[in-house]
């Protein structure tokens, strides 16, 4: 090969520092980085919401300022020159450093926040009475609770953690605890000789506090069925029935002495411990339903959300009011 015809390779000259006024503008470098990465002015333009001709002009502007071509324009193809490869490495490194610094600065000024979604009953009866312990250990964290029985999309609603209530066989995420159930009422309902409440059969003289059923939710809202089946009273007819859309309202009515509700453990364990509710009968039933913790992908970048998940599991493992061994029903 004739060395005189060989194409000289690019070697960056070792010169003094270039004045800042001669450095390419950041917007031009962003266009160059996108074009160098995609090897396409068209794709780079689409990514940057510019026209193809605008990106092409910006690249020409950089090349004119540097005095060297950065791309070989081939038929329907772009190839980086050696000068382009040198500049690409430097630009990628600089943009990554700038991105990391921006993220650190933004994180230091942003509000620390954990967004949670769960059922209204779990929120009011289990989560909120304990939540002060988390906020005391995590000052500065804004905890946002979305209490709804609607199954929210975590990504679309920007939620970090969900506590789902479902059948154990359908559970997703990390299991928090399974549910057991038995009747509960206010202490004043006991000891009435006219309307005794000593055996399950005595319920016929009392008001049952139950959840409303809908075609979509009947499987989860049949709150009395598990226990009544265990007791052999599937066709029990009581004096009255009050139905509620929210489980917490049924429990509030029970605390007020308005009737007998089905107690979901451990949701009502603290009310039993405090003596605001009592369990008149034995015979606990495992409902084969439970609560599961689901962390959204966004929680991986939120240390406070990760702390919240760990706190939930620690609270779930803490001792609660002792109860009779559960009986599993089919």
């Amino acid at each position: 090969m004739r060395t005189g015809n060989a194409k000289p390779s690019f070697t960056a000259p070792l010169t003094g520092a270039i004045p800042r006024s001669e450095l390419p503008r950041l917007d031009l470098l962003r266009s160059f980085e996108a074009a160098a990465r995609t090897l396409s002015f068209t794709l780079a333009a689409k990514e940057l919401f510019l026209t193809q001709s605008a990106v092409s002009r910006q690249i020409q502007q950089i090349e004119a300022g540097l005095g060297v071509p950065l791309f070989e324009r081939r038929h329907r193809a772009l190839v980086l020159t050696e000068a382009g490869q040198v500049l690409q490495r430097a630009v990628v490194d600089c943009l990554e450093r700038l991105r990391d610094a921006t993220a650190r600065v933004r994180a230091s000024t942003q509000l620390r926040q954990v967004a949670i979604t769960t059922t209204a009953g779990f929120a009011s009866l289990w989560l909120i009475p304990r939540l002060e312990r988390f906020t005391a250990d995590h000052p500065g964290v804004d905890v946002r609770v979305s209490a709804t029985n609607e199954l929210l999309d975590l990504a679309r609603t920007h939620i970090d953690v969900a506590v789902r209530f479902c059948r154990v066989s359908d559970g997703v995420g990390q299991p928090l605890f399974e549910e057991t159930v038995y009747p509960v009422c206010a202490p004043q309902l006991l000891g009435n000789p006219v309307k005794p409440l000593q055996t399950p059969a005595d319920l016929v003289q009392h008001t049952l506090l139950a959840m409303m059923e809908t075609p979509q939710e009947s499987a989860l809202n049949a709150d009395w069925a598990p226990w009544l089946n265990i007791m052999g009273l599937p066709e029990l007819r009581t004096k009255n029935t009050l139905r509620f859309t929210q489980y917490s309202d049924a429990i509030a009515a029970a605390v007020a002495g308005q009737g007998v509700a089905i107690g979901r453990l451990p949701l009502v364990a603290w009310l039993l411990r405090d003596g605001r509710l009592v369990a008149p009968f034995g015979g606990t039933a495992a409902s084969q339903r439970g609560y599961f913790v689901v962390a959204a992908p966004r929680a991986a970048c939120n240390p406070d959300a990760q702390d919240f998940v760990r706190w939930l599991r620690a609270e779930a493992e803490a001792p609660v009011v002792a109860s009779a061994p559960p009986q599993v029903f089919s």
Side-chain angles (χ1 to χ4, degrees), residues 155-172:
R156 192 178 70 249
T157 53
H158 305 291
I159 288 175
D160 300 292
V161 180
V163 179
R164 307 290 199 198
F165 178 54
C166 59
R167 294 190 180 278
V168 173
S169 58
D170 299 331
V172 294

Side-chain angles (χ1 to χ4, degrees), residues 58-123:
Q58 289 179 336
I59 301 302
Q60 291 173 6
Q61 188 174 344
I62 299 176
E63 291 174 327
L66 296 176
V68 292
L70 300 175
F71 294 93
E72 291 183 19
R73 277 82 166 170
R74 299 179 180 177
H75 181 62
R76 295 186 177 179
L78 287 178
V79 178
L80 280 168
T81 64
E82 292 187 54
Q85 294 173 25
V86 171
L87 186 62
Q88 182 192 32
R89 288 192 292 269
V91 169
V92 168
D93 180 66
C94 290
L95 290 178
E96 286 295 331
R97 289 171 180 265
L98 183 59
R99 185 179 295 112
D100 291 344
T102 301
R104 287 196 297 272
V105 171
R106 181 176 294 165
S108 67
T109 58
Q110 278 186 330
L111 179 69
R112 293 169 59 192
Q113 177 180 307
V114 180
I116 307 104
T117 181
T118 188
T119 65
F122 182 88

Side-chain angles (χ1 to χ4, degrees), residues 5-300:
N5 294 332
K7 183 178 179 179
S9 61
F10 172 80
T11 303
L14 299 176
T15 62
I18 298 175
R20 291 183 179 179
S21 60
E22 296 184 13
L23 292 175
R25 300 196 317 267
L26 181 59
D27 60 323
L28 302 183
L29 292 178
R30 288 182 65 244
S31 294
F32 166 74
E33 187 279 330
R37 175 166 36 83
T38 61
L39 292 177
S40 168
F41 291 163
T42 300
L43 294 178
K46 183 179 298 185
E47 179 179 313
L48 300 171
F49 300 100
L50 299 172
T51 64
Q52 188 271 350
S53 58
V55 171
S56 179
R57 285 195 300 270
Q58 289 179 336
I59 301 302
Q60 291 173 6
Q61 188 174 344
I62 299 176
E63 291 174 327
L66 296 176
V68 292
L70 300 175
F71 294 93
E72 291 183 19
R73 277 82 166 170
R74 299 179 180 177
H75 181 62
R76 295 186 177 179
L78 287 178
V79 178
L80 280 168
T81 64
E82 292 187 54
Q85 294 173 25
V86 171
L87 186 62
Q88 182 192 32
R89 288 192 292 269
V91 169
V92 168
D93 180 66
C94 290
L95 290 178
E96 286 295 331
R97 289 171 180 265
L98 183 59
R99 185 179 295 112
D100 291 344
T102 301
R104 287 196 297 272
V105 171
R106 181 176 294 165
S108 67
T109 58
Q110 278 186 330
L111 179 69
R112 293 169 59 192
Q113 177 180 307
V114 180
I116 307 104
T117 181
T118 188
T119 65
F122 182 88
S124 61
L125 294 172
W126 193 91
L127 179 60
I128 292 174
R130 293 168 168 79
L131 199 52
E132 184 181 5
R133 292 198 282 269
F134 177 82
T135 55
D137 291 338
H138 298 79
V141 177
D142 180 15
V143 179
R144 302 189 176 189
V145 180
S146 176
T148 175
N149 293 333
E150 180 184 355
L151 202 63
L152 299 181
D153 182 280
L154 303 187
R156 192 178 70 249
T157 53
H158 305 291
I159 288 175
D160 300 292
V161 180
V163 179
R164 307 290 199 198
F165 178 54
C166 59
R167 294 190 180 278
V168 173
S169 58
D170 299 331
V172 294
Q174 302 178 39
L176 194 59
F177 46 71
E178 294 186 28
E179 176 190 73
T180 56
V181 296
Y182 55 54
V184 295
C185 65
Q188 59 264 34
L189 291 190
L190 301 181
N192 185 338
V194 179
K195 295 171 58 177
L197 197 54
Q198 298 177 351
T199 68
D202 291 335
L203 286 171
V204 297
Q205 303 180 63
H206 290 266
T207 298
L208 243 61
L209 308 174
M211 298 294 295
M212 290 184 182
E213 297 182 8
T214 67
Q216 294 79 20
E217 298 177 341
S218 59
L220 290 181
N221 285 345
D223 44 354
W224 273 95
W227 187 84
L228 290 174
N229 287 336
I230 284 290
M231 294 296 106
L233 299 169
E235 303 299 327
L236 179 73
R237 294 291 181 268
T238 59
K239 177 183 176 182
N240 296 302
T241 301
L242 295 179
R243 295 189 180 274
F244 302 85
T245 57
Q246 301 295 343
Y247 179 65
S248 55
D249 293 338
I251 292 301
V255 171
Q258 296 184 22
V260 185
I262 198 70
R264 295 177 177 175
L265 295 176
L267 297 194
V268 299
W270 65 282
L271 293 169
L272 291 162
R273 180 195 62 210
D274 294 346
R276 299 171 66 184
L277 289 176
V278 294
F281 320 119
T284 304
S287 72
Q288 297 185 347
R289 299 174 294 188
Y291 291 85
F292 296 79
V293 180
V294 180
R298 59 183 278 123

